[in-house]
Amino acid sequence: MLAQPGAKIKACSDGRDWTSLFTSVQKEMPFQGVFQSSRDHLLVLHRDGPVQVESLCDRRIGRRMVPAGGIHLIAPGVEFGIELAGTIETVHVYVRRAIIEEVALEMVDGDPARVEIPSTIVESDRALHALIDASAYAVEDESLGSAMFADYLSRTIAAQLIRSYSKARLKGGGRSTASAGLSPTLSEAVDFMTANIDSGINLADIARATNRSPSHIARIFRTELGMPPHRYLISLRIEKARRLLEKTSVCTGARL
């Protein structure tokens, strides 16, 4: 869609070391086209409007008048067609399918590869709107556009998509992941993971840091937290993403 002659890109993440997320901000002119399927999930936020949009490939969506703040979710793996009837400013965000499955491993029961987020048009989702806006601010302001920020943001978007738009059964309850009350070995392991949350650590690294065997570390995570170490690390990263997003939202809100 961004290759359409009338599309004027204002900012995008090309040329940055973002690997989990792609974001672009542009003004789009009226067009009609059918596009090849993507391997990743596409989200299109309408920054202004209303504007008429018609899906050329999905009768369930049909023809819609999309208000400002509306979000078009486009599933991977199928071709899609769009007819845009007016000029609007949009934010396009591609979230890697691998990120969706990584977060689904933590959030849902069953096989994360089977989690589906169908194509639809959402007229209002303030949480998802704020997340997409945060990615737009990140490409418009280089001081916010670190790869670390993109990694955390992609996981927070994935969590919102899974929670609100998939039919997957979410894991209920769950045990607290706070380090208070944990055994000394597990507390030491959690401290190491927290301190190295941005690194590509694995079970062997945690075992060396705690002077225990990998099997022992795996066993105490399952016994005390009810999950393997890699899932706990994902939960730490998702939580850090939420905190970073809250901090960024405050900064951008103050600037606006």
Side-chain angles (χ1 to χ4, degrees):
M1 286 186 287
L2 300 184
Q4 297 298 309
K8 298 180 179 179
I9 299 176
K10 300 169 63 177
C12 77
S13 58
D14 272 346
R16 303 193 184 191
D17 54 349
W18 291 19
T19 58
S20 57
L21 197 70
F22 170 86
T23 298
S24 65
V25 181
Q26 54 278 319
K27 180 70 75 172
E28 295 190 61
M29 306 294 287
F31 71 87
Q32 176 179 319
V34 176
F35 307 96
Q36 292 183 343
S37 63
S38 169
R39 294 174 297 177
D40 303 310
H41 294 261
L42 171 60
L43 293 69
V44 180
L45 169 66
H46 291 209
R47 279 186 152 179
D48 51 21
V51 66
Q52 182 176 287
V53 174
E54 182 175 359
S55 172
L56 304 178
C57 299
D58 192 334
R59 293 183 179 180
R60 293 179 301 107
I61 295 176
R63 182 179 298 174
R64 302 277 293 274
M65 186 64 70
V66 183
I71 303 169
H72 194 168
L73 308 182
I74 300 173
V78 293
E79 69 174 16
F80 60 96
I82 300 292
E83 181 176 349
L84 178 67
T87 301
I88 56 169
E89 182 172 304
T90 62
V91 182
H92 287 208
V93 173
Y94 284 89
V95 181
R96 305 302 181 204
R97 177 64 192 180
I99 299 299
I100 298 288
E101 294 184 15
E102 175 190 305
V103 175
L105 181 66
E106 170 64 21
M107 293 182 62
V108 309
D109 289 323
D111 184 357
R114 298 178 66 86
V115 171
E116 295 183 2
I117 300 163
S119 298
T120 188
I121 293 179
V122 181
E123 293 194 358
S124 179
D125 183 332
R126 289 190 293 177
L128 190 57
H129 188 160
L131 291 165
I132 296 173
D133 260 345
S135 73
Y137 291 133
V139 297
E140 292 171 328
D141 184 339
E142 292 188 4
S143 66
L144 298 175
S146 69
M148 184 188 305
F149 176 81
D151 285 344
Y152 294 142
L153 186 59
S154 68
R155 286 163 175 82
T156 312
I157 292 174
Q160 178 66 10
L161 291 174
I162 293 166
R163 184 182 300 110
S164 299
Y165 303 106
S166 79
K167 294 182 179 180
R169 185 174 65 180
L170 300 181
K171 294 176 180 176
R175 305 186 185 185
S176 170
T177 57
S179 59
L182 301 181
S183 67
T185 298
L186 186 54
S187 181
E188 187 178 354
V190 168
D191 288 344
F192 173 79
M193 294 166 78
T194 302
N196 296 275
I197 194 171
D198 301 321
S199 304
I201 58 177
N202 55 35
L203 182 59
D205 296 324
I206 300 170
R208 282 193 294 270
T210 56
N211 200 27
R212 296 291 190 276
S213 69
S215 60
H216 179 78
I217 295 299
R219 184 170 64 253
I220 63 172
F221 266 87
R222 289 189 179 276
T223 300
E224 297 190 39
L225 296 178
M227 66 179 72
H230 71 274
R231 273 184 46 204
Y232 184 82
L233 182 60
I234 292 171
S235 73
L236 288 178
R237 286 172 172 162
I238 292 172
E239 181 58 30
K240 184 170 181 178
R242 292 195 185 102
R243 294 197 304 269
L244 184 61
L245 177 64
E246 289 172 0
K247 180 179 179 181
T248 303
S249 297
V250 169
C251 293
T252 56
R255 185 177 61 185
L256 294 174

